[in-house]
Amino acid sequence: MAQQTLTVIGADDPLGEAVVREALVRGLRVRATAPLPRRVPRLSPELEVLRAESGSQEDLEPAVRGADGVVLALTPQLVHDATMLATDAAIAAVRAMRAVGAQRLVGVSSTELSDSSRLWGPLRRRLHHGGLQDLRRLERLLAGSGLDWTVLRAGRTTDLLGTREQVVGSALEQGDRTLPREDLARALVDQALAEGREPRILTVTA
């Protein structure tokens, strides 16, 4: 069986670094992108680090060409002020993948988009308005991309050791408030190497 290639966009992000480590442990060939490649630890000969801005289609095309799966591994920014970080990265990734014929794309969003609690849900949506709007745009962009896509909604990531028992389920489920970063990384790699299926927006819990 041919060795699979995974592209990780944002390998200088703590989540991106965790996804790179998880993919390498599984024996995958990894292409990682970062604006400053020297900031990405060279963990294996199977790791290729390419200089790329996450919001640049031109930069991302060489990284996604021929990839079996692409992970948009940017930690969701839950901020009040307006931001376009996730939106710009999603646009660039989708355009780059369309240009080179890559198909499988997995992104990360937040369980706060589906928080149904009467008190804390509205409060968090006000506090994190700018970041949540950005993540809604990411989800809509992927839904209209024509690619084979999946979005994993997760709680706030932590540095705690992973449980190795992460569960991926319906986005309507109430997710945990926090999630070890390693568990989210494992779920992202799992999804990136599998064909997407309905529903496309899922929740990760541990």
Side-chain angles (χ1 to χ4, degrees):
M1 183 176 178
Q3 186 180 29
Q4 291 179 294
T5 298
L6 186 73
T7 295
V8 181
I9 298 173
D12 55 340
D13 183 287
L15 177 58
E17 185 177 335
V19 173
V20 167
R21 288 197 307 268
E22 175 65 19
L24 290 172
V25 166
R26 298 192 193 193
L28 303 175
R29 179 181 295 111
V30 180
R31 288 196 206 116
T33 74
L36 297 173
R38 67 177 181 275
R39 293 184 177 176
V40 180
R42 302 305 172 104
L43 302 172
S44 165
E46 299 299 330
L47 172 61
E48 178 184 8
V49 183
L50 303 178
R51 193 207 69 76
E53 297 287 344
S54 60
S56 168
Q57 173 188 346
E58 183 179 1
D59 285 356
L60 293 180
E61 284 185 17
V64 301
R65 183 176 285 111
D68 296 288
V70 177
V71 179
L72 196 54
L74 303 176
T75 301
Q77 301 300 301
L78 298 178
V79 295
H80 180 268
D81 294 336
T83 176
M84 292 287 287
L85 179 65
T87 302
D88 289 345
I91 291 172
V94 167
R95 288 177 174 173
M97 291 176 70
R98 283 175 170 174
V100 303
Q103 285 296 313
R104 182 66 176 142
L105 175 62
V106 179
V108 185
S109 186
S110 172
T111 53
E112 289 194 17
L113 289 174
S114 51
D115 189 342
S116 60
S117 62
R118 292 185 178 181
L119 173 62
W120 296 112
L123 178 60
R124 289 190 181 93
R125 282 191 283 275
R126 284 197 297 272
L127 289 174
H128 301 151
H129 176 74
L132 293 176
Q133 286 292 94
D134 194 26
L135 296 174
R136 285 190 186 94
R137 288 191 295 267
L138 175 144
E139 292 185 358
R140 291 169 185 157
L141 281 163
L142 267 59
S145 68
L147 301 176
D148 177 14
W149 66 277
T150 298
V151 169
L152 296 184
R153 289 180 177 176
R156 181 176 57 84
T157 55
T158 70
D159 293 326
L160 297 175
L161 289 177
T163 65
R164 297 185 179 273
E165 296 179 356
Q166 67 279 357
V167 177
V168 176
S170 167
L172 298 178
E173 297 174 5
Q174 186 62 50
D176 295 342
R177 296 297 180 207
T178 62
L179 182 71
R181 191 175 292 111
E182 291 181 2
D183 285 339
L184 178 53
R186 291 188 191 100
L188 286 166
V189 175
D190 285 343
Q191 291 295 319
L193 298 179
E195 184 176 343
R197 57 188 66 180
E198 300 299 333
R200 298 277 178 163
I201 299 177
L202 303 168
T203 294
V204 187
T205 58

